[in-house]
């Protein structure tokens, strides 16, 4: 009996997380490699040497 309750709670929790993720607002635009031109870091931070 407890296994079924535990399984139901886990499945419900995962479903809520997925639903929240899909319902969240996006950044509104696609990211292209040109957005990071001149950047050293994968996050797009500029190189300290080039500043």
């Amino acid at each position: 009996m407890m296994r079924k309750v535990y399984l139901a709670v886990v499945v419900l929790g995962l479903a809520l997380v997925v639903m929240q993720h899909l319902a969240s607002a996006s950044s509104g635009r696609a990211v292209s490699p040109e957005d990071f031109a001149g950047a050293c870091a994968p996050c797009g931070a500029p190189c300290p040497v080039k500043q």
Side-chain angles (χ1 to χ4, degrees):
M1 177 68 182
M2 287 302 292
R3 285 185 183 178
K4 290 182 182 180
V5 172
Y6 179 73
L7 182 63
V9 168
V10 170
V11 168
L12 181 63
L14 288 175
L16 288 174
V17 168
V18 169
M19 286 173 47
Q20 181 184 11
H21 173 70
L22 293 177
S24 65
S26 66
S27 64
R29 67 178 185 89
V31 178
S32 67
E34 289 80 23
D35 293 341
F36 302 115
C40 290
C43 64
C47 295
V49 177
K50 292 185 179 181
Q51 288 183 340

